[in-house]
Amino acid sequence: MKKLIAAILACMLVLSMSAALAADKYVIAMDTVFKPFEYTDAEGNFVGIDVDIMKAIAEDQGFEAELKSLGWDAAIAACQAGQADGLIAGASITDERKASGWIFSDGYFTATQCMTVLAGSDIKGFADLSGKMVAVKTGTQGAAYAESLKEANGFDITYFEDSPTMYQAVIGGQCVACFEDTPIMAATIKENALPLEIVEGSENEGAPYGFAVFKAEKQELIDKFNAGLANIKANGKYDEILAKYLD
Amino acid sequence: MDSKNVKIHVSHLKKNFGKLEVLRDISNDITEGEVVVVIGPSGSGKSTFLRCLNRLEDITSGEVVVDGVNIADKKADINKVRENVGMVFQHFNLFNNMNVLRNLTLAPVDLGKMSKADAQKQAMKLLERVGLADKAQAFPSQLSGGQKQRVAIARALAMNPDIMLFDEPTSALDPEMVGEVLEVMKELAREGMTMVVVTHEMGFAREVADRVIFMDGGYILEEGTPEEVFGNPQNPRTKDFLNKVL
Amino acid sequence: MLRIIDVYGELLLKAMGQTLLLALCGLFFACILGLIFGLMSVVKNRPCNIIARIFVDAIRGVPMIVLAYFIYFGVPYLLNTIMKIGGVTLTALQAGTACLALNCGAYMAEIIRAGIESVDKGQMEAARSLGMPYWRSMYRVVLPQAIRTMIPSIINQFIITLKDTSILSVIGFPELVNTAKNVLANTFMSFQTWAIVAVMYLVIIQTLSVLAKHLERRLKHGL
């Protein structure tokens, strides 16, 4: 019995030491599918712009990043609960989110948003949406863009939880259009040969994506991210990553 | 009693439950005003026989003609026949969701036999007859076993049937309540109701029956007046059974 | 938390209304389906029994989220693309109602079957022996008694179905969970949002439970 207790205590000691040794290890929460920022490729590897940027910055700054693909809602909750240190999930930097106590890094990517319709659709502009149903993904800038146009153009919005379901709603005819980040939309249509087309001239000015932490004591992680981001932009690593996913 | 006026004619009745033959070959005629008591050991088929008389059990083969209608025929209007054949069950089967009065008026009113007011008037008369007029508003759960069975008899009578079937009407009763139910049945018999009674009450059979039928193994083994069957049984199985119960 | 209530309170209340609307629509049709398939499983008719069995087993064997995707996307696809019946689209409310009705209907069918079977068969025999037809006996005598024993299970199923409306957030129906995800995406305030939503569900379900208890007392002898 004594031996057993001793063994357990020893294990706990080792574990706590290893935790202490890995003080520079951060848990980063991410979305599950937000192509091409994060997704699982055909080989089962978790990849994407967010993934590669995070890895590159961690390497540059000499910390270990443990990436956890939790999903959008769970990633937010995990940071609030302290289960994760930071969040990188194509999250736009908004004043409302800052007002809730979140701290954002410098923008690491600026995407414009656009309207996408079924190929050959009658919808040529926002005015054609009057009385129709529009699909967006919860919490995206696309959703915010659609919301800003809703009143003036008299359409309704359905909120989906992931992009594939949103596209399906347009292809299936449940909604006439969807609003999505332009590079993502273009890449997805091309890659999957979807019967969709981006409406010309429907882009907005765009908003930057940021890495985010919830607590002020995580400020050092933001500083490291910003420093690392500047470095990989300077050494060409950043452009390399974008080129890999956005062409 | 006009022996020619046959109310129920049974010929070569057979009833199987799956592979089990419960009634093997039953033929019998029951005439108007006759009180027939069916006795026999449990499993003899006597209850099944009774339940075939209003087709609560599907008839495997043979004929059962009630009031001129062969109810073994699937096309027969069984509901019409049943309106004229009252049945009293071992476990009363009063409608638990209705008070006593509604138990008596449900079928006559629902089947358009009489207006609600008439049905209620008749129900009160019937309840008086079975000595339960004061229980009209009670629910079945508030009655004793004997009271339930008397209500059940009144309910069957509410359709003004000319035949009454009794399926072990006193078997589920506490001994002290048997008498009150038998009393009601005796009175019915005196009034000339055609009755078929499955029972273990040999005293009742002796006193009231015009004819006693002894069944065993799915056959009618012996029948006759109570004096004949009880006083001088011919079949050894009848003797054996009577020795055990008397 | 107060900021969420202040800014998004109205939106969340509207979503609660949508949750109730969806639940009521779903439950209404679930009762009809449940009654039909429940009765089909107790009548003396083999084909009816088998159809009811297949319905119940098929629906119970599929998670509701799969059913939701299938109805919302699969059914129009089947009709429009495969069967070439053009122009069929389902709104999220229609698809959600169908989904809840099928799911809850299957469980209701089982509750109704069990309820009817719990009524002593002597009740049916007594009614039949008086000359009452099968369905009249069922309606007047058996069902009213069955309903009394079914009520606790039915209320339980209602509550489950009410909570199951949250699954339909995946097809974009703007009920509480779907709306809450929007609120938390905007505010990034996860716990506060979910706490408000939890309280709202609790209020609806408690109200339903109190009503149910009241109803149960009233039906002491059956309907």
Side-chain angles (χ1 to χ4, degrees):
Chain A
M1 194 61 193
K2 270 185 185 166
K3 273 186 185 170
L4 185 67
I5 292 171
I8 292 170
L9 283 175
C11 284
M12 285 168 62
L13 195 66
V14 170
L15 281 173
S16 58
M17 275 173 67
S18 64
L21 284 174
D24 274 355
K25 177 177 163 183
Y26 295 102
V27 175
I28 310 297
M30 308 183 73
D31 198 354
T32 41
V33 188
F34 190 51
K35 235 173 161 182
F37 288 87
E38 48 239 63
Y39 62 99
T40 305
D41 69 12
E43 281 84 46
N45 302 314
F46 193 57
V47 296
I49 294 173
D50 284 349
V51 177
D52 285 11
I53 285 182
M54 201 63 224
K55 280 181 180 165
I57 289 174
E59 194 183 22
D60 183 77
Q61 293 294 305
F63 65 83
E64 194 189 331
E66 187 188 343
L67 305 182
K68 283 197 172 166
S69 167
L70 299 176
W72 176 249
D73 307 320
I76 295 167
C79 286
Q80 272 192 294
Q83 300 258 56
D85 299 299
L87 168 149
I88 185 162
S92 299
I93 303 167
T94 70
D95 289 339
E96 191 173 12
R97 287 168 182 175
K98 284 183 190 164
S100 300
W102 290 77
I103 302 164
F104 281 88
S105 70
D106 299 336
Y108 65 86
F109 185 87
T110 297
T112 61
Q113 283 77 39
C114 65
M115 175 168 77
T116 300
V117 296
L118 205 58
S121 163
D122 296 338
I123 312 269
K124 302 292 178 208
F126 301 134
D128 296 332
L129 294 174
S130 177
K132 301 266 172 37
M133 187 62 84
V134 164
V136 301
K137 183 187 160 188
T138 303
T140 57
Q141 276 312 106
Y145 186 29
E147 281 161 7
S148 73
L149 296 165
K150 180 181 164 183
E151 293 282 303
N153 295 286
F155 58 83
D156 276 323
I157 298 176
T158 299
Y159 294 88
F160 292 97
E161 290 173 15
D162 56 281
S163 299
T165 311
M166 173 175 77
Y167 305 146
Q168 182 59 49
V170 179
I171 295 166
Q174 284 84 0
C175 297
V176 295
C178 66
F179 282 73
E180 176 72 293
D181 293 12
T182 316
I184 297 172
M185 200 65 244
T188 310
I189 292 174
K190 201 170 128 197
E191 200 175 316
N192 300 299
L194 296 179
L196 298 173
E197 63 185 20
I198 294 171
V199 176
E200 252 175 81
S202 67
E203 287 96 340
N204 66 356
E205 287 174 0
Y209 288 166
F211 170 79
V213 299
F214 183 65
K215 293 200 175 81
E217 62 254 37
K218 297 275 164 40
Q219 181 65 44
E220 58 157 42
L221 183 53
I222 291 288
D223 295 341
K224 282 179 184 173
F225 186 93
N226 285 341
L229 181 62
N231 287 345
I232 63 167
K233 271 186 174 168
N235 67 18
K237 180 81 180 156
Y238 175 84
D239 289 332
E240 208 176 289
I241 293 170
L242 290 199
K244 181 173 158 194
Y245 289 102
L246 288 182
D247 184 36
Chain B
M1 184 170 59
D2 181 7
S3 61
K4 290 278 180 285
N5 198 354
V6 175
K7 293 296 283 184
I8 302 173
H9 167 74
V10 181
S11 94
H12 303 296
L13 167 63
K14 286 188 184 143
K15 168 67 188 172
N16 302 343
F17 286 114
K19 288 213 166 110
L20 183 71
E21 293 178 310
V22 182
L23 300 178
R24 292 167 200 263
D25 186 9
I26 306 274
S27 295
N28 212 284
D29 280 357
I30 294 159
T31 52
E32 188 168 0
E34 196 178 17
V35 176
V36 176
V37 173
V38 184
I39 60 172
S42 50
S44 61
K46 55 192 193 302
S47 274
T48 307
F49 168 62
L50 190 79
R51 289 162 61 84
C52 283
L53 299 184
N54 66 350
R55 214 173 82 189
L56 277 186
E57 299 294 348
D58 285 325
I59 292 159
T60 306
S61 72
E63 267 191 347
V64 176
V65 181
V66 179
D67 282 331
V69 180
N70 179 15
I71 60 172
D73 182 354
K74 288 261 182 240
K75 288 191 279 287
D77 185 354
I78 188 65
N79 293 327
K80 202 86 207 140
V81 173
R82 282 172 179 162
E83 288 179 9
N84 275 325
V85 183
M87 185 156 195
V88 175
F89 299 85
Q90 180 178 352
H91 295 287
F92 331 124
N93 299 349
L94 292 182
F95 304 137
N96 297 317
N97 55 325
M98 302 170 192
N99 66 19
V100 167
L101 192 66
R102 275 271 284 154
N103 261 276
L104 268 66
T105 57
L106 175 73
V109 175
D110 222 53
L111 296 171
K113 293 265 140 191
M114 44 185 102
S115 72
K116 198 174 166 191
D118 288 347
Q120 284 180 344
K121 225 179 285 165
Q122 181 201 247
M124 286 314 296
K125 255 188 228 156
L126 285 167
L127 286 175
E128 240 160 70
R129 212 169 124 186
V130 299
L132 289 170
D134 56 326
K135 298 287 184 193
Q137 300 303 323
F139 274 84
S141 58
Q142 299 162 325
L143 302 179
S144 73
Q147 291 172 330
K148 282 184 196 171
Q149 198 60 299
R150 283 187 280 157
V151 171
I153 294 170
R155 177 179 67 182
L157 292 173
M159 288 297 290
N160 294 314
D162 17 291
I163 301 168
M164 285 284 283
L165 309 176
F166 294 83
D167 188 4
E168 305 202 24
T170 57
S171 297
L173 294 178
D174 290 337
E176 74 269 24
M177 293 174 183
V178 171
E180 59 188 80
V181 172
L182 290 181
E183 214 37 64
V184 173
M185 290 168 64
K186 282 177 197 166
E187 199 190 314
L188 262 182
R190 276 196 295 274
E191 286 166 11
M193 176 67 75
T194 310
M195 291 165 64
V196 184
V197 185
V198 171
T199 187
H200 294 290
E201 293 294 329
M202 298 305 155
F204 174 83
R206 227 183 268 241
E207 188 186 333
V208 183
D210 296 310
R211 186 152 55 99
V212 175
I213 290 177
F214 174 73
M215 282 183 71
D216 195 11
Y219 294 105
I220 293 178
L221 293 183
E222 186 157 1
E223 61 176 311
T225 63
E227 293 75 27
E228 287 165 358
V229 175
F230 291 115
N232 185 22
Q234 302 299 310
N235 191 299
R237 300 251 285 278
T238 319
K239 282 181 198 164
D240 191 42
F241 173 73
L242 289 174
N243 276 336
K244 278 181 193 151
V245 298
L246 288 178
Chain C
M1 188 115 147
L2 286 175
R3 190 164 64 87
I4 294 180
I5 294 172
D6 190 35
V7 178
Y8 295 101
E10 202 178 324
L11 192 70
L12 286 169
L13 274 178
K14 221 175 115 194
M16 182 163 135
Q18 292 290 309
T19 290
L20 278 172
L21 173 72
L22 180 62
L24 286 177
C25 289
L27 286 172
F28 175 75
F29 290 106
C31 287
I32 295 174
L33 280 181
L35 196 61
I36 291 172
F37 285 103
L39 289 172
M40 277 174 74
S41 61
V42 294
V43 294
K44 269 192 186 173
N45 182 310
R46 283 293 286 166
C48 277
N49 300 159
I50 290 169
I51 291 168
R53 193 75 253 145
I54 290 172
F55 170 75
V56 170
D57 285 350
I59 298 295
R60 286 206 301 196
V62 178
M64 201 163 97
I65 192 162
V66 176
L67 196 63
Y69 280 124
F70 179 78
I71 293 173
Y72 190 52
F73 294 121
V75 170
Y77 176 76
L78 195 75
L79 294 175
N80 297 335
T81 312
I82 298 181
M83 294 173 68
K84 304 284 180 207
I85 304 165
V88 179
T89 56
L90 287 174
T91 66
L93 179 61
Q94 290 165 340
T97 299
C99 186
L100 285 177
L102 285 172
N103 191 273
C104 179
Y107 288 98
M108 290 280 284
E110 281 296 274
I111 292 169
I112 288 169
R113 181 188 61 75
I116 291 172
E117 283 175 357
S118 79
V119 176
D120 181 42
K121 74 181 194 348
Q123 295 286 313
M124 175 59 94
E125 285 186 349
R128 297 305 309 275
S129 78
L130 291 164
M132 289 174 65
Y134 180 84
W135 288 110
R136 265 201 119 76
S137 309
M138 183 61 90
Y139 174 68
R140 290 280 192 208
V141 176
V142 178
L143 275 184
Q145 294 183 58
I147 282 172
R148 187 177 139 56
T149 60
M150 288 186 292
I151 279 178
S153 310
I154 290 177
I155 295 301
N156 195 35
Q157 188 55 47
F158 274 21
I159 289 172
I160 291 171
T161 300
L162 214 150
K163 292 197 275 191
D164 277 353
T165 54
S166 61
I167 293 172
L168 297 163
S169 71
V170 299
I171 57 168
F173 185 77
E175 46 67 65
L176 262 177
V177 167
N178 184 279
T179 305
K181 285 185 175 179
N182 259 315
V183 172
L184 87 86
N186 286 345
T187 61
F188 267 36
M189 292 174 92
S190 184
F191 300 125
Q192 295 85 338
T193 311
W194 290 125
I196 292 167
V197 168
V199 168
M200 293 175 94
Y201 274 112
L202 216 59
V203 167
I204 302 174
I205 286 162
Q206 272 308 310
T207 312
L208 188 66
S209 299
V210 169
L211 281 176
K213 278 271 163 302
H214 183 69
L215 187 70
E216 217 172 314
R217 266 200 304 273
R218 292 248 329 248
L219 296 176
K220 219 174 97 201
H221 295 288
L223 260 182

